[in-house]
Structures are given as C-alpha cells and as structure tokens.
Amino acid sequence: MPSLHLPSRFPSPSFPLINLTTTKRPISTTAITMSLSSSPSQSVSNNPNEHKDTENLIAQVLKYHNQTKHFFTNYARGPRGLDWANQPNPFRRYVSSPLLPLLHFPVENSQDSTSVSAPLYHSLFKSLPSPKPISKSSVSQLFYDSLALSAWKTTGFSTWSLRANPSSGNLHPTEAYIISPAIDSVCDSAFVAHYAPKEHSLELRAKIPDTFLPSFFPSNAFLIGVSSIFWREAWKYGERAFRYCNHDVGHAIAAISLAAAELGWDVKLLDGLGFKELEGLMGLGIYQGFRIPDKPIKVKFPEIEFEHPDCVLVVFPNGVNDFNVNYKELSSAIMEFGNLEWVGNPNSLSKEHTCWDVIYVTAEAVKKPLKIDDKFLVDKFQNSGVCSEGSYKGFSAREIIRKRRSAAHMNGVTKIERDTFYQIMLHCLPSGCGSGEKQKRQLALPFRALSWDAEVHAVLFVHRVVGLSKGLYFLVRNEDHLDELKKVTRAEFKWEKPEGCPADLPLYELARGDCQQIAKQLSCHQDIASDGCFSLGMVAHFEPTLHSKGAWMYPRLFWETGVLGQVLYLEAHAVGISATGIGCFFDDPVHEILGLRGSNFQSLYHFTVGGPVLDKRIMSLPAYPGPSTDA
C-alpha cells in the first residue's frame, strides 16, 4: 500500500491513498465553436425543435458543468451575501384559480383508521399492495406522502416549513401538477391542476376532454408533471443552482414513486415527450420568454420566475404492463391544450432578482425534443435484496416519509452494524436482486420510474460501521461499467468484495484507512461528511452518456442522483438514524481521490448518513394547520 502524502494545509489522516495537491486544472473537452452563447441577442425560446448542432449543445453543458465546479482555491460564482429582502416566496399560487382542498391523514397507523393505514416501509421493496382506484382519498394520500408540508419549525423570530420531499437549502424550486380524469368531490370532468403544498389543495387550472387520458393510458391512470423555478435556488446558490434544481427533481420523482407504491400504483417517466409537450400539459406556456443578458445582473426581472417543465410521470395500477404510448399521437393531442381556457395567474415571488445567465443558456441547451420512436416499456417489478430485515424499526412508509428530516449536524459517535449497512446498499441497487441479472436496468423501487439504464455509482467513505474496516468503497450500480472503472481509477485499488458482503451486492473495497478528514475536506470542509456512519459521492458515467444520448441527459443524471439520495434519506430514518444531502463539494479533488482524469466520470452529489444532533432551540409545529407566513 502506498503511503498518503498531503500538503501541509491538509492535516494528514492515516488513509493510504493520494496526494491532495489538486488545483484548478481544466477538464479536457472537445473543442467546438459555440453557436449557443449568452449574448444580448439570445432569448429564451419556446421552440425546442430548432435544429442546433448536438455537439454544440453538449459543449455548452460541459462549459456549464466545469464553470460551476468548486475548487480548493475558489468556489463557483454566487451571491456574495443573501439578499433577505428578496428571498423568493417558496409557495407558487395561481391567483383566481379555484382551490380544491384535499384530505389529511394520521401519520401513525391505528386500529381505528384501517382505511388509511399505510404499509410498512420495507415491505414496499418486496412487493406492492393491490392498487386502489383513483379517488379524492387516494390522490390526497399521494400528495400528502410525497410533496406536502411535513412540519413547521420556529425559533426566535424565524418560522419556516419543511416538506416530505427534501430540497437544497430548503428552497423548494420544484412545482407539481396533476392531469387527471374526473374525480368525485374534486372535479366533475378531466382536469389539470397545480398542487399547492401549503394548503394541501389543488388549484384548478383547466378542464380537459374526458377522452384524453383513456386514449393513451390504461384505466385508473393519471399524470403528474414536475417543473422547476430556477430563481428560488439561484437566489442563494448562484450559478450552481441549476445542478441543485435537478437534484430536487430526482428527489421529487422518488417521493412520488414511493407514495404511489403505498397505494399499489406504478410510476414511469413519459420520457419520449419533448419540452414543448411538457409545457403544454402543465399550462406553462403562460410564461413569456426573455432575453438572456450576457453577464449576471441584478434588476427587477419578473420573467425570471418562470417554471421550466422538467418531466411528466404516468401513474397507473401496478401489474399493468401491456400498454404502449404513441408519442406522435399523444403530442398532437397535447398541442390542443393551447386552446383550453386556462385559469389563474402566477403570484410574484420576489421584488428584485439576480439573473445568472449561464443557468438559462444551459436550460436552453438541455431541452429535449419529442422522440416519437422512443419505446415506452413497463418492466416487471423486481424486488430488492434482503440481508438484514431486522434492521428496520417497523415503521410504516408514511411515518418514515413524513418524519424524514435533513440532519444539520452528525454526532460523530453513532455506529451501525455491517449488515445494516449492507441492507441499505441493497436498497440502493437499480435492478433489485434475485433475477440473476447484472446491475444495470432500473427495475426496482423507486428507480424503475426512470427510463434509462443506471449511470450513477457511489464512492463510499466508511467511518463508523461495526464489523467493516474504515476506508474507501465503491458501489457499482451498472456492472457494464466495472471493467472501465477498474482501468481508469488508481492502480493500487483492491477492488475486492468486503467480508460478509451479500453475493448479489456489487460493493468493493478499494483501500483501508481513516478517511474522515478527507471526506470533510472534499465536502467543502463540512464536519457533517466526517461525523456520520458513512458518507459518499455519487459518480456518474458522464461525457460518454451525453455523447451517446444527447445534452438532454445532463439534468437526468442529476435526477438519478436525487432518486438515489431519496432512498438514502428514507433508509437512514427506517433504521433509526438520519441523513442529509451535500451539494457543496470540491469536484475535481473527488476525481483525484479516485485517480479519474477527463470527464468520463464526474461526481454530481454527496451524501452523509449517521446519528443526528438535535437542536433543542428549534420548536417543531404541525404541518397543518400551519402559520399564515409564507416561508
């Protein structure tokens, strides 16, 4: 084993790996003349079908990705301080839209509430319950256990809300819409509505033809649309906000998938639809385009509060897998939505804004065109592996989902057993276990909502796992990448299965040693990365994926990390500890730890799991009814 050599500014841990002399060095990219630039003549276009050169779009994505990296010597561009007077309202409302209240449910199961009892959390990874019909109750449950408020917090003069779905900085750029058939006691015809989490209600935006959904989807199916307001995240994080918005989309996809699973419903991305179709389905054509400035500016800029349509999910009864989607005909039907009577105008979120131009140029570059030849496939549900079912504490899915919190600090003491660690890792696998297939296809909950093979792996810093040596480990989530990973990472890595590792868990020990200090340094010097049971970086198969599929895969790679992050959150709480996502990390130093060069693999998201430190100064209040404040 080579000895560890660190510069004097980094205290030397006993971790036999590398020299952390990483400076700001450029990542090699293909030299291309850009046709998409942040010039005054460029505008946010509502036409995603412009025939732009694919390589130029990928070049813009690579430019953004490299420009928004953090380095030991400097951070990505962002505001120098927080403009509290213009903090965005976290609640989008459509003024004058009819408000349709939804039902509320007890968090804990009780014998007196069998009609709303939720299944045990860990049972959902083995099989789904019988599907419930679409009703006011079932749709209410779906939103209540995915995107609703979960609590209010208060201390001193500050009060703020928490949600079932996590968000970077608790800023919540993600909005959601339902495209549904008629539902008794909700709406007497098929409709499009915006979900208002503060009120746990639907805002009716438009009534649609009752024939729309049955023409393309099975009985008891409906759609959920997801969009992002970049400004909410950029207010705090500047240029890196586009990354964080897409993390949050992934968290929302997983949150919706798991809440749907409670009701016996399956979820799949309708990923053949293009940007224009998504915009039409959610009624987001009301937002006017704007000219992108050629540099960051602060000014009154209400257009910047627009919603970027990210994706649409089809929700349908599990076990129904014999239907296809004709994207060409579906697109034509959606285009007719432009003739509907849309109700309501979006509320204002801030008085003044800062426009970080590179976010909006990149959002243009990643707009996906309509793919009429895409095959919509619903694979058979694959159960996840079990090696330590006793690690779970017997909580219902609703208890885990609604009591999930992001830990602000870890205690540096809590340990977990090796089998508990392996159990968490088994639930992080995309293909489940028991099928005999290699890890690759996304067949298990909640990864099965995604429409591509797994592209994201996890490099793990193990700190406090009883029975497992401290050190660096790697979870391979697409085994087609294993040989390449061995070639492009450090030659001294062991790539050996650790003791007691389940046969169907592709987890590998790379090197032994105390890596707490390195984990902390890599995650922007944050103690939370070193004080947990383990932390990790999510490493994506990056530039080859963009070149093989298109620039539109860039946000989707972040979605996959968000789905994985949501599983880690829930797994941690299910075994009695906590977790939190880490968006601030030094990108290329992570790659140097692994020996990676170029941009075939890139770290996109960090995470930590461990025993939380509770702040007794903060009081928790019920989610509903909450205070009148918008926070």
Side-chain angles (χ1 to χ4, degrees):
M1 279 265 181
S3 60
L4 178 65
H5 299 288
L6 294 175
S8 59
R9 68 184 185 279
F10 302 125
S12 180
S14 58
F15 185 55
L17 267 182
I18 66 156
N19 185 339
L20 273 182
T21 53
T22 304
T23 58
K24 185 176 180 179
R25 59 179 175 81
I27 294 294
S28 59
T29 58
T30 308
I32 298 174
T33 302
M34 292 293 296
S35 62
L36 183 64
S37 61
S38 53
S39 64
S41 61
Q42 174 147 8
S43 62
V44 173
S45 168
N46 289 326
N47 179 13
N49 298 315
E50 295 175 273
H51 297 290
K52 298 174 181 177
D53 182 80
T54 300
E55 290 301 309
N56 282 357
L57 299 178
I58 293 172
Q60 171 57 36
V61 165
L62 295 175
K63 174 186 175 183
Y64 170 81
H65 189 72
N66 292 325
Q67 181 175 323
T68 57
K69 287 181 175 180
H70 290 325
F71 297 90
F72 285 134
T73 53
N74 62 283
Y75 289 81
R77 289 196 299 180
R80 296 184 182 273
L82 294 181
D83 179 10
W84 293 108
N86 289 299
Q87 181 179 11
N89 185 332
F91 300 116
R92 166 70 84 207
R93 289 296 308 274
Y94 282 89
V95 180
S96 78
S97 292
L99 195 65
L100 312 173
L102 297 175
L103 304 177
H104 297 251
F105 303 90
V107 174
E108 288 84 9
N109 284 339
S110 71
Q111 294 180 349
D112 297 327
S113 307
T114 55
S115 63
V116 295
S117 63
L120 293 179
Y121 165 76
H122 65 270
S123 72
L124 297 178
F125 292 85
K126 294 190 291 186
S127 63
L128 300 185
S130 299
K132 295 186 184 300
I134 298 177
S135 67
K136 182 175 182 178
S137 175
S138 59
V139 168
S140 296
Q141 287 185 60
L142 176 72
F143 282 110
Y144 197 71
D145 290 346
S146 60
L147 305 176
L149 301 191
S150 56
W152 286 86
K153 296 288 186 176
T154 184
T155 183
F157 295 103
S158 298
T159 301
W160 64 97
S161 60
L162 302 179
R163 303 194 196 186
N165 57 312
S167 171
S168 302
N170 199 35
L171 297 171
H172 291 286
T174 309
E175 298 292 332
Y177 296 80
I178 183 170
I179 300 92
S180 172
I183 299 176
D184 286 346
S185 302
V186 177
C187 188
D188 58 5
S189 70
F191 64 95
V192 178
H194 170 255
Y195 178 62
K198 185 182 178 185
E199 294 76 15
H200 185 49
S201 299
L202 299 177
E203 294 182 295
L204 183 64
R205 295 290 329 284
K207 293 186 176 182
I208 63 175
D210 288 322
T211 56
F212 172 71
L213 289 164
S215 298
F216 301 99
F217 306 105
S219 177
N220 271 312
F222 60 96
L223 309 180
I224 298 287
V226 176
S227 66
S228 295
I229 302 174
F230 301 140
W231 162 238
R232 281 208 188 113
E233 207 74 22
W235 168 79
K236 181 176 182 179
Y237 295 115
E239 291 183 345
R240 204 166 161 101
F242 185 69
R243 297 176 177 221
Y244 300 161
C245 288
N246 285 295
H247 287 152
D248 287 1
V249 171
H251 280 291
I253 290 171
I256 293 165
S257 298
L258 286 157
E262 292 181 79
L263 295 155
W265 296 340
D266 209 348
V267 174
K268 288 290 290 185
L269 273 175
L270 285 175
D271 217 17
L273 295 178
F275 178 88
K276 198 69 177 177
E277 286 74 27
L278 302 182
E279 184 182 67
L281 267 174
M282 291 181 258
L284 300 181
I286 59 172
Y287 296 101
Q288 299 299 310
F290 61 89
R291 300 175 76 83
I292 301 173
D294 59 0
K295 60 182 179 181
I297 61 168
K298 182 175 180 179
V299 68
K300 186 175 178 61
F301 207 154
E303 297 87 354
I304 210 172
E305 297 179 358
F306 78 100
E307 293 179 39
H308 176 91
D310 295 300
C311 63
V312 168
L313 304 160
V314 56
V315 183
F316 56 98
N318 86 81
V320 177
N321 55 12
D322 57 352
F323 70 99
N324 196 6
V325 176
N326 186 320
Y327 281 115
K328 183 177 181 180
E329 293 183 4
L330 178 58
S331 173
S332 297
I334 292 171
M335 290 303 103
E336 296 299 317
F337 278 36
N339 300 322
L340 299 175
E341 181 180 351
W342 292 90
V343 182
N345 294 308
N347 60 335
S348 175
L349 306 180
S350 299
K351 293 180 180 179
E352 287 190 334
H353 314 79
T354 300
C355 179
W356 299 92
D357 55 300
V358 70
I359 291 176
Y360 303 97
V361 175
T362 306
E364 283 290 294
V366 301
K367 287 180 177 179
K368 188 178 182 181
L370 174 68
K371 300 282 188 179
I372 60 174
D373 295 327
D374 271 17
K375 299 294 184 183
F376 180 84
L377 299 174
V378 181
D379 292 298
K380 182 180 177 181
F381 180 93
Q382 183 60 51
N383 63 288
S384 296
V386 177
C387 75
S388 181
E389 193 169 59
S391 295
Y392 298 114
K393 305 302 181 184
F395 295 118
S396 71
R398 177 171 300 130
E399 286 178 281
I400 296 298
I401 289 166
R402 295 195 55 79
K403 292 183 178 181
R404 181 212 60 81
R405 302 290 184 265
S406 296
H409 304 280
M410 296 295 184
N411 60 30
V413 176
T414 299
K415 299 178 181 180
I416 57 172
E417 296 294 325
R418 183 180 68 188
D419 284 350
T420 299
F421 175 74
Y422 289 154
Q423 182 59 63
I424 293 172
M425 293 298 103
L426 285 169
H427 278 186
C428 291
L429 295 179
S431 304
C433 296
S435 67
E437 290 189 23
K438 296 191 301 182
Q439 293 299 321
K440 176 180 178 179
R441 299 171 66 204
Q442 313 228 49
L443 307 174
L445 186 73
F447 307 104
R448 60 186 285 104
L450 305 179
S451 58
W452 57 88
D453 292 339
E455 301 287 0
V456 173
H457 308 281
V459 54
L460 295 128
F461 303 89
V462 172
H463 307 314
R464 297 172 182 84
V465 178
V466 178
L468 190 63
S469 297
K470 293 182 178 181
L472 192 67
Y473 294 77
F474 204 100
L475 180 67
V476 180
R477 297 181 67 256
N478 184 330
E479 293 182 271
D480 282 357
H481 300 163
L482 179 57
D483 289 342
E484 182 182 1
L485 285 164
K486 289 181 177 180
K487 290 176 183 178
V488 300
T489 53
R490 294 184 172 274
E492 61 265 32
F493 284 164
K494 296 165 63 177
W495 287 102
E496 295 177 357
K497 294 287 286 288
E499 184 179 354
C501 184
D504 47 6
L505 177 61
L507 176 72
Y508 297 90
E509 180 184 317
L510 302 184
R512 292 188 181 185
D514 189 335
C515 51
Q516 292 178 79
Q517 188 65 25
I518 288 180
K520 174 181 174 178
Q521 292 167 351
L522 294 177
S523 291
C524 298
H525 310 291
Q526 298 178 85
D527 290 332
I528 199 167
S530 61
D531 290 348
C533 301
F534 65 93
S535 60
L536 60 92
M538 301 184 196
V539 177
H541 193 226
F542 188 70
E543 191 167 349
T545 303
L546 299 180
H547 284 292
S548 66
K549 296 181 180 178
W552 47 265
M553 269 303 294
Y554 182 68
R556 284 160 176 78
L557 292 175
F558 285 91
W559 299 356
E560 188 175 336
T561 67
V563 173
L564 178 56
Q566 188 70 2
V567 171
L568 287 166
Y569 262 126
L570 300 181
E571 287 290 302
H573 284 77
V575 302
I577 52 178
S578 190
T580 197
I582 302 174
C584 185
F585 55 87
F586 297 116
D587 300 62
D588 285 347
V590 176
H591 307 142
E592 189 165 339
I593 283 280
L594 297 171
L596 297 172
R597 295 292 183 269
S599 53
N600 279 7
F601 290 92
Q602 294 281 284
S603 184
L604 302 185
Y605 195 15
H606 282 210
F607 227 84
T608 184
V609 175
V613 176
L614 302 179
D615 191 336
K616 296 181 180 179
R617 298 170 300 175
I618 299 176
M619 182 185 299
S620 185
L621 303 173
Y624 303 101
S628 59
T629 184
D630 284 342

